[in-house]
Amino acid sequence: MERPDTAADRFVIVIGRQYGSGGRRIGKMLAENLGVSYYDKSLLSEAAGELGFSSEIFERNDERRPSLLRSLLSFNYGASTANIEQSTMSDEKIYEFQSRVIRGICERESCVIVGRTADYIMRDHPGLVSLFIHAPAEIRALSIMRRGETDCQSKAIDTAVKNDRARASYYNYYTNRDAWGRADNYHLSFDSSRMTDEAILAAVRAILEN
């Protein structure tokens, strides 16, 4: 599939994922095969700078819901410009700037974005395709161990569960809906332990061409 040339043909693939399920790998594969840009936290930071925002707005907020104490302490702090020091900004204001960056990217090009509630931010985009990648905890634990995060399966499972809880809390907090990981919240949901990357690509192509 060639990269679309007009705004009317643009699409946005957004990926939610369980920790260790291969969401980033699948996102990169989709972007490469579809001929579009791929964005995760680090690349969103680069794009933020290009769009006139501080690159740090993605670096310090790693898909974690703000604590009640932090929210109360930061309630009276605002930000009038995109380049204000992040330490003076509330988590909600940082999220607002992150959302602006994501919208700016999607206005200029087709792309694949991993995480950051991008499916919710871009929910009105006519070319949105939202995916959720999951896998059994034991399979994800093996992936986590291969990455060198731990050499203990039980610790790897605990890491996966802890990060899943954080992602669900972040997503549900900012979208105001209890929907992270729920199949009816996404266009397509894949068990990466049972489907090859090529099969996932074929399914995504099919929905794009529908």
Side-chain angles (χ1 to χ4, degrees), residues 86-103:
Q86 187 180 8
S87 61
T88 68
M89 295 167 61
S90 69
D91 292 283
E92 287 73 16
K93 182 61 69 173
I94 293 169
Y95 179 78
E96 178 187 332
F97 285 148
Q98 290 180 350
S99 299
R100 290 185 192 179
V101 171
I102 288 170
R103 292 190 192 101

Side-chain angles (χ1 to χ4, degrees), residues 29-46:
M29 178 272 298
L30 289 172
E32 180 179 354
N33 279 273
L34 295 172
V36 299
S37 299
Y38 164 85
Y39 293 96
D40 56 16
K41 182 179 75 172
S42 61
L43 292 172
L44 284 169
S45 293
E46 292 181 15

Side-chain angles (χ1 to χ4, degrees), residues 123-174:
R123 60 193 181 278
D124 295 325
H125 192 290
L128 174 69
V129 178
S130 60
L131 316 179
F132 190 79
I133 310 298
H134 60 95
E138 294 77 11
I139 301 297
R140 293 187 286 128
L142 293 175
S143 176
I144 292 167
M145 292 168 68
R146 283 195 295 269
R147 296 198 304 236
E149 295 183 42
T150 180
D151 57 2
C152 173
Q153 185 182 40
S154 62
K155 289 182 179 179
I157 291 175
D158 287 344
T159 296
V161 170
K162 179 180 178 180
N163 280 277
D164 286 348
R165 286 175 180 164
R167 287 176 177 176
S169 181
Y170 175 89
Y171 183 94
N172 295 340
Y173 176 80
Y174 284 110

